[in-house]
């Protein structure tokens, strides 16, 4: 598993406690405000201030999560298609890799990519095979990438698995599921006010909810 993927998992585990704390604090504050001997309008102002403070904290946690996840995905892809260390120091290998990438970028159909990968593997051309696999991955031709990956060390497959997990989390369903975890319910006292209206209301709060 890529180091950044491990870092993302650790960050999620750590931020989960911060997220729950922010939500619990807001819930307790709202419960306390509702019991205070103040006018309904002042209660709304206090609740709005508490809600915006909680929403701000939760939004910051979500941004950090998204940034760490994006970094993990990028690192996983780089590691999956990185040439061996020896090739990175060999001028001839660097040039061959560049030429291979140029050829791969011209591929427009998965069948053509499959044919070129077969050719590269038959000739033992690792640079071309890697370039075709990487281009195929970017185009979503996973059958071609999978055929190449099957001939690679386990670390390559592990990196591709990490990249696939990140892609799944970034899918519409994945984004929806993760967004729900960062949702701060709007207290009923606030109705359907816009963000600007909530901020104006919160400006009248007497308490501190940072």
């Amino acid at each position: 598993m890529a180091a950044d993927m491990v870092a993302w998992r650790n960050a999620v585990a750590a931020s989960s406690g911060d997220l729950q704390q922010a939500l619990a604090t807001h819930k307790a504050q709202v419960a306390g405000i509702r019991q205070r001997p103040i006018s309904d309008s002042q209660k709304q102002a206090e609740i709005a201030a508490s809600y915006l403070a909680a929403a701000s904290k939760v939004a910051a946690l979500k941004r950090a999560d998204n940034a760490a996840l994006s970094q993990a995905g990028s690192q996983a892809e780089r590691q999956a298609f990185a040439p061996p260390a020896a090739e990175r120091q060999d001028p001839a290998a660097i040039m061959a890799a560049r030429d291979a990438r140029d050829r791969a970028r011209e591929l427009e159909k998965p069948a053509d990519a499959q044919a070129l990968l077969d050719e590269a593997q038959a000739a033992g051309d690792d640079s071309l095979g890697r370039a075709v696999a990487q281009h195929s991955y970017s185009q979503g031709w996973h059958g071609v990438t999978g055929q190449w990956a099957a001939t690679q060390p386990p670390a390559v497959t592990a990196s591709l698995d990490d990249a696939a997990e990140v892609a799944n989390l970034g899918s519409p369903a994945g984004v929806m599921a993760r967004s729900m975890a960062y949702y701060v319910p709007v207290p009923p006292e606030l109705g359907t006010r816009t963000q600007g209206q909530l901020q104006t209301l919160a400006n009248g709060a007497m308490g501190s909810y940072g």
Side-chain angles (χ1 to χ4, degrees):
M1 181 177 292
D4 280 358
M5 198 66 179
V6 173
W8 172 72
R9 291 186 185 281
N10 291 339
V12 168
S15 67
S16 177
D18 294 335
L19 174 62
Q20 295 306 315
Q21 181 62 45
L23 295 174
T25 297
H26 170 55
K27 183 177 181 180
Q29 288 173 345
V30 170
I33 292 167
R34 287 170 176 159
Q35 298 301 316
R36 289 169 59 184
I38 54 179
S39 67
D40 288 344
S41 61
Q42 190 60 43
K43 286 181 180 180
Q44 286 184 331
E46 305 299 328
I47 290 174
S50 175
Y51 169 76
L52 290 178
S56 178
K57 291 179 181 178
V58 170
L61 291 171
K62 183 179 180 180
R63 287 193 298 272
D65 178 15
N66 288 338
L69 183 60
S70 177
Q71 183 174 344
S74 296
Q75 188 201 38
E77 288 187 35
R78 286 195 301 271
Q79 290 186 340
F81 300 109
E87 291 186 20
R88 283 175 252 161
Q89 306 300 322
D90 183 349
I94 293 173
M95 183 172 293
R98 183 193 64 188
D99 293 342
R101 288 193 296 271
D102 288 342
R103 289 186 66 184
R105 277 194 289 266
E106 295 177 357
L107 297 169
E108 297 181 353
K109 298 178 181 179
D112 293 337
Q114 181 69 65
L116 189 55
L117 177 62
D118 289 342
E119 177 186 327
Q121 291 183 323
D125 190 337
D126 294 336
S127 291
L128 183 57
R130 186 181 306 109
V132 172
Q134 185 168 12
H135 178 71
S136 297
Y137 181 86
S138 70
Q139 298 298 312
W141 304 335
H142 299 305
V144 179
T145 304
Q147 177 180 319
W148 170 81
T151 67
Q152 301 303 305
V156 170
T157 303
S159 293
L160 286 172
D161 287 344
D162 286 346
E165 180 179 356
V166 172
N168 182 60
L169 290 169
S171 69
V175 169
M176 176 67 72
R178 292 175 59 242
S179 293
M180 291 300 294
Y182 293 96
Y183 175 68
V184 182
V186 180
E189 290 89 344
L190 302 182
T192 58
R193 289 178 172 85
T194 65
Q195 188 76 8
Q197 291 171 331
L198 287 174
Q199 187 59 64
T200 298
L201 185 60
N203 290 339
M206 302 293 290
S208 176
Y209 305 94

